[in-house]
Amino acid sequence: MQPEADLRRQKRERCAADTLTLRVGDVGVRIRSDDPHMKLYVQGAAESFLVSNGAADVEVTAAWGKLCQPANTSFVFDSGGLWRLSRELENHVFHLTSPMYGTLPYKRATFSPDFTCGEVLLERSYFDPRGPVDALEYPLDELLMMNLLAHGRGVEVHACGLEDTDGQGYLFLGHSGAGKTTTARLWQKAGGVRVLSDDRIILRSWAGATWMYGTPWHGEARLALPARTPLRQIFFLRHGNANEIVPLGGGEALARFLACSFVPFYSRSGLDFALAFFHQLIDSVPCAELRFVPEERAVELARVYAA
Amino acid sequence: MSEKLDPKFPLRRPYKKPEMERVSLRPEEAVLGNCKSMAAAGPGGSSSCMSVGPCFTQGS
């Protein structure tokens, strides 16, 4: 029997290409390698978000580069973990590091001011020279999407989103451990439900409605659907001793939205947009806190409340 | 005597003292600064994440 790593590499090589287009939240991102020695692939749930044609909102090129420590750079933002952001002229530059390799970046991604054009440089010595590379690998793919959304397109939230049997969408927000994956599994058990994601949902407003989109950045249950559905009810999750729903006022709902969203905290215009987006959303879709115990009655309670 | 309401001054809602509620923010999750899963972030994918600390502090 072949080792798992070999099987993974063979699969990657089968899917490898010079150009790939991902479509997440109705935003198309095309990545291209101009280097004949660099093939591209995407891994995990992102494979389901690949499209074979269609327009791209964003064009990104990938290439090998010799990366070094950013010298004399004052960073706009430091995540405290995998990435830091600096500015060069008007461009945004992400420096990605891994604890595995110390402080030398393994990837450097430069984007135009509106994030519609970019270049990713990868430090060759860190990558397997025999195989293709996932140039937009997490967290770069999600950072790019977060910033694209902040330019007037929508907001990504930390939530489970699902479509009920009647086609209406339920959004369940919460930090890690709040019960998003548990909720997804409970509703799946109830039958006839499509879970768009058990961890990350993109929200966008158009045609007089707010739409929820599945994303590749799933949670423990690995639920990630390239699909959308109109949003009907918003719940903020909390584990409780009994199933109970408490309506939320606008101010409280807004604060909780902000605490459960992925927004560019370093961008004033991005934050302004997110706040205005949430404000409008809270005015148009009912918000409540769902205190629940992990049992099917929680599903029924939510359905009755939303009806 | 029954009081008549002046339409210029509609009935006021009773005063309710403002309350401060603390909403917790988890910066390590909000800024996408950590590995989201065991198989993410960095060359080598899962293999690199298996051997380093911060990847176990998942930001999901």
Side-chain angles (χ1 to χ4, degrees):
Chain A
M1 205 170 110
Q2 279 183 296
E4 200 184 326
D6 281 353
L7 291 170
R8 275 207 306 267
R9 197 176 69 235
Q10 283 172 10
K11 188 183 171 200
R12 282 201 300 265
E13 280 162 6
R14 274 200 307 275
C15 305
D18 296 319
T19 303
L20 296 170
T21 307
L22 281 164
R23 193 156 193 86
V24 181
D26 269 346
V27 180
V29 178
R30 182 172 296 131
I31 179 144
R32 191 185 75 234
S33 161
D34 292 332
D35 184 337
H37 301 294
M38 178 192 274
K39 297 289 180 197
L40 304 169
Y41 84 112
V42 295
Q43 55 191 313
E47 287 176 15
S48 315
F49 290 78
L50 284 172
V51 290
S52 53
N53 49 35
D57 304 272
V58 184
E59 298 280 352
V60 182
T61 58
W64 298 116
K66 188 76 192 155
L67 302 188
C68 53
Q69 294 279 9
N72 301 324
T73 303
S74 64
F75 291 101
V76 174
F77 192 81
D78 187 338
S79 72
L82 300 168
W83 62 273
R84 288 185 290 177
L85 173 68
S86 66
R87 294 249 158 80
E88 285 180 14
L89 301 173
E90 294 296 304
N91 295 325
H92 311 275
V93 186
F94 291 94
H95 309 262
L96 291 106
T97 53
S98 166
M100 181 89 169
Y101 304 106
T103 54
L104 188 67
Y106 65 88
K107 193 186 286 182
R108 183 179 190 272
T110 306
F111 292 100
S112 60
D114 64 358
F115 284 89
T116 58
C117 181
E119 179 195 53
V120 179
L121 291 179
L122 300 110
E123 171 52 51
R124 191 166 203 163
S125 59
Y126 288 164
F127 290 82
D128 179 355
R130 297 167 298 171
V133 292
D134 184 355
L136 289 176
E137 184 187 20
Y138 179 90
L140 185 58
D141 51 0
E142 200 171 353
L143 286 170
L144 174 58
M145 185 56 62
M146 175 181 82
N147 283 284
L148 284 164
L149 292 170
H151 279 75
R153 293 180 176 88
V155 182
E156 184 190 356
V157 289
H158 206 174
C160 159
L162 55 88
E163 183 187 271
D164 203 2
T165 48
D166 59 0
Q168 297 297 317
Y170 290 73
L171 185 67
F172 300 92
L173 296 109
H175 294 309
S176 295
K180 295 184 293 299
T181 294
T182 304
T183 297
R185 287 178 171 145
L186 278 177
W187 283 72
Q188 275 189 321
K189 255 174 89 179
V193 168
R194 264 196 337 161
V195 179
L196 302 180
S197 172
D198 62 335
D199 203 59
R200 303 279 211 265
I201 288 287
I202 286 174
L203 300 172
R204 299 190 68 182
S205 292
W206 49 272
T210 300
W211 296 78
M212 304 194 300
Y213 293 81
T215 70
W217 309 292
H218 56 72
E220 223 176 287
R222 298 177 174 271
L223 298 168
L225 267 188
R228 66 170 185 239
T229 197
L231 177 57
R232 168 198 201 162
Q233 175 70 49
I234 296 162
F235 289 116
F236 291 90
L237 289 174
R238 180 177 285 187
H239 289 289
N241 297 320
N243 294 311
E244 185 186 5
I245 291 176
V246 181
L248 290 179
E252 194 173 351
L254 184 66
R256 290 200 191 192
F257 254 119
L258 203 56
C260 287
S261 60
F262 301 96
V263 290
F265 289 100
Y266 41 81
S267 162
R268 184 179 181 146
S269 61
L271 280 178
D272 283 347
F273 170 76
L275 283 170
F277 184 92
F278 288 138
H279 198 278
Q280 190 235 333
L281 180 58
I282 289 161
D283 277 348
S284 55
V285 182
C287 297
E289 180 176 271
L290 173 59
R291 299 170 190 167
F292 79 106
V293 286
E295 58 183 22
E296 283 178 43
R297 274 181 291 179
V299 175
E300 212 39 55
L301 178 68
R303 279 176 169 154
V304 169
Y305 182 83
Chain B
M1 197 175 87
S2 66
E3 282 185 46
K4 280 189 180 171
L5 285 176
D6 183 340
K8 286 183 189 163
F9 301 99
L11 195 62
R12 285 187 183 173
R13 283 189 298 172
Y15 174 75
K16 192 179 163 207
K17 193 179 169 189
E19 287 173 17
M20 187 80 88
E21 178 149 340
R22 186 181 291 270
V23 174
S24 74
L25 179 67
R26 297 209 191 150
E28 72 281 5
E29 292 181 8
V31 302
L32 307 172
N34 292 318
C35 288
K36 168 133 180 59
S37 70
M38 300 292 280
S46 58
S47 58
S48 65
C49 269
M50 296 295 276
S51 56
V52 289
C55 292
F56 291 102
T57 321
Q58 292 178 28
S60 71

